Amino acid sequence: MPSEATKGRVGANALGWALTIGLNVVAPIVTYNQLTGQGYGEFTALVMSAVWPAVDLGIHLAWQRRVDEFAAVSLLFLGLTVAVTLAGPADAHFLLVEDSVITGLFGVICLASLAAPRPLMFYFGRRFATDGSAPSLERWEGLWALPGFRRVQRNLTVGWGVAYLLEAGLRVGLSYVLDTDAMQALNTVLSLGVTVLLVIWTVAYAERARARGAAAGAERGTVRAEPEPEPEQAGAATV
């Protein structure tokens, strides 16, 4: 049976997930759709949508005394969306490819972060795989010393970067082929679908990597536990 401490960590992780997804994904989308549906301009709706990631950033800063990377990235891309909206022409085709530009930029940032000391997915993983407590964060930071863990984080970053670049390219290409109504519906399907698939892949890949690491550790422990062969046995084995 799980201990009370384990249940507490699971509950804290679940609350963290709910707050992060709710304030950085769900609330901005709902706010934007509600405001544009009531006749507000796209710029006003985008600015008001950015309030929610700012709230999440403030909560995390007050609670954990450090910046939440996920909320910071959400704010960055809402800011980029506002900038692209203001700079671009006010036509239907541009509005269709606007989101593709943003997701493509996210893909570029993912791949560019591979040149940094730690890739972007390491920080996202720290946000979602820990409960935010000092021991949990310290354990996550300590995992970076393991070559296998570093490889997993870099592979995840490559996967997200390439997937979003391909998704952005596909959406831009289709926007020149399909009519506006069809492309508007497909934009939503592709955006949500790619993200959901990436989350599923990330969880599955991380679990497989964790299982391989545990199996390798158990195998090394078994080998070390075996008694040293007697001299004559070692000589016989060599022969």
Side-chain angles (χ1 to χ4, degrees):
M1 295 293 292
S3 65
E4 291 300 321
T6 300
K7 291 179 180 178
R9 286 195 298 271
V10 171
N13 277 336
L15 178 60
W17 273 79
L19 280 174
T20 298
I21 298 301
L23 292 175
N24 290 280
V25 180
V26 178
I29 291 174
V30 171
T31 300
Y32 178 83
N33 289 337
Q34 287 293 320
L35 290 176
T36 53
Q38 293 174 14
Y40 287 88
E42 187 180 29
F43 174 76
T44 302
L46 285 169
V47 171
M48 295 302 295
S49 299
V51 169
W52 298 110
V55 168
D56 185 43
L57 194 65
I59 292 173
H60 198 81
L61 187 60
W63 186 14
Q64 303 294 341
R65 306 298 182 190
R66 64 179 181 83
V67 173
D68 176 18
E69 294 85 1
F70 191 88
V73 170
S74 298
L75 275 175
L76 170 64
F77 279 94
L78 281 169
L80 287 173
T81 303
V82 171
V84 170
T85 301
L86 290 175
D91 61 65
H93 183 264
F94 176 78
L95 294 177
L96 287 174
V97 302
E98 175 188 321
D99 290 341
S100 305
V101 172
I102 302 303
T103 55
L105 284 174
F106 180 73
V108 170
I109 289 175
C110 280
L111 297 179
S113 74
L114 294 169
R118 298 183 184 186
L120 187 59
M121 285 302 126
F122 171 83
Y123 298 102
F124 280 17
R126 185 175 67 183
R127 178 65 180 87
F128 290 107
T130 69
D131 59 10
S133 64
S136 180
L137 293 173
E138 184 178 352
R139 177 182 175 278
W140 183 261
E141 294 286 342
L143 290 174
W144 187 253
L146 303 176
F149 180 81
R150 296 197 297 270
R151 182 173 60 253
V152 168
Q153 298 306 310
R154 291 189 175 108
N155 288 345
L156 288 174
T157 303
V158 170
W160 280 73
V162 170
Y164 272 119
L165 281 175
L166 292 176
E167 183 255 7
L170 178 62
R171 281 205 278 170
V172 169
L174 289 175
S175 68
Y176 288 95
V177 177
L178 302 177
D179 59 58
T180 302
D181 291 337
M183 193 59 212
Q184 188 170 11
L186 187 60
N187 258 347
T188 302
V189 172
L190 279 175
S191 178
L192 291 176
V194 169
T195 301
V196 168
L197 288 175
L198 281 170
V199 169
I200 293 173
W201 170 71
T202 298
V203 173
Y205 181 74
E207 286 297 325
R208 287 197 303 270
R210 187 179 297 114
R212 287 196 300 268
E219 183 178 348
R220 287 194 297 270
T222 302
V223 171
R224 283 195 296 267
E226 291 178 355
E228 291 293 330
E230 296 295 332
E232 59 272 15
Q233 290 177 330
T238 303
V239 174

